[in-house]
């Protein structure tokens, strides 16, 4: 996309968003029309679109949700002078982190739901797998941020929740490897 190589003006962002929204209204099942605008939207528009994208992915138990989401803040590790997108990527990363932490807190409650108390919603409860995939998503995010201890704690909670899910062991080994403990990673 051109937005990966250059900064888009507000008018260009609005025009592109309109095009994708038009196609989304016509073809509501096409995920690309929901995902691609996450690459160039900013601020409140990004937050609302990312919120809808993450909620749907967590509810559907999409294993690749973090990998797909990570592409929206791929330059967050760069310093602002190294990439024109670094500041926007860091803002997107902070938004995703805020949303993910909010989901986790809300899903741990009773009933397990995405509705915040601040919203005053008493929505229907979510299935237990939604909490599991939220734990996994948060663990992957913490691993990306370099917080191995937090990631391992989240994966331990996920393993307590569903000890038969083999992917959790693979993710735990990956976190140990990223943390520099290759020996423990090999034993898992």
């Amino acid at each position: 996309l051109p937005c990966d190589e250059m900064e888009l003006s507000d008018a260009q962002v609005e025009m592109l968003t309109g095009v994708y929204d038009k196609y989304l209204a016509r073809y509501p099942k096409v995920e690309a029309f929901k995902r691609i605008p996450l690459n160039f939207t900013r601020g409140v528009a990004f937050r609302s679109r990312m919120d809808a994208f993450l909620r749907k992915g967590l509810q559907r138990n999409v294993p690749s949700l973090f990998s797909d989401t990570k592409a929206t803040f791929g330059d967050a590790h760069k310093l602002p002078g190294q990439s024109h997108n670094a500041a926007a990527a860091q803002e997107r990363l902070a938004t995703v982190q805020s949303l993910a932490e909010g989901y986790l807190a809300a899903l741990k409650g009773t009933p397990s739901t995405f509705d915040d108390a601040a919203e005053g919603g008493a929505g229907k409860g979510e299935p237990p797998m939604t909490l599991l995939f939220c734990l996994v998503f948060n663990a992957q995010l913490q691993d990306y941020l370099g917080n191995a201890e937090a990631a391992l704690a989240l994966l331990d909670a996920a393993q307590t929740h569903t000890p038969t899910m083999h992917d959790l062991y693979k993710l735990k080994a990956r976190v140990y490897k990223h943390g520099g403990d290759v020996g423990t990673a090999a034993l898992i």
Side-chain angles (χ1 to χ4, degrees), residues 1-8 12-13 15-17 19-20 31-41 68 71-72 75 84-85 92:
L1 288 174
C3 59
D4 292 337
E5 303 297 323
M6 62 183 202
E7 188 68 31
L8 297 175
Q12 290 171 318
V13 169
M15 188 265 309
L16 282 171
T17 303
V19 169
Y20 282 105
E31 289 296 315
F33 298 143
K34 299 171 191 166
R35 168 59 186 84
I36 294 173
L38 295 174
N39 288 337
F40 55 80
T41 53
D68 199 12
T72 65
D75 287 342
H84 75 278
N85 281 336
R92 288 185 180 119

Side-chain angles (χ1 to χ4, degrees), residues 58 66 100-101 104 131-159 167-168 171-172 174-175 178:
L58 291 170
F66 181 75
E101 289 170 357
L104 189 57
L131 173 59
L132 175 68
F133 276 84
C134 189
L135 286 164
V136 169
F137 183 87
N138 275 278
Q140 290 173 311
L141 181 60
Q142 291 302 318
D143 183 37
Y144 177 83
L145 295 170
N147 302 333
E149 288 181 23
L152 289 170
L154 289 162
L155 287 172
D156 286 340
Q159 284 178 319
D167 290 344
L168 297 175
L171 288 170
K172 199 170 192 179
R174 185 177 299 148
V175 171
H178 292 164

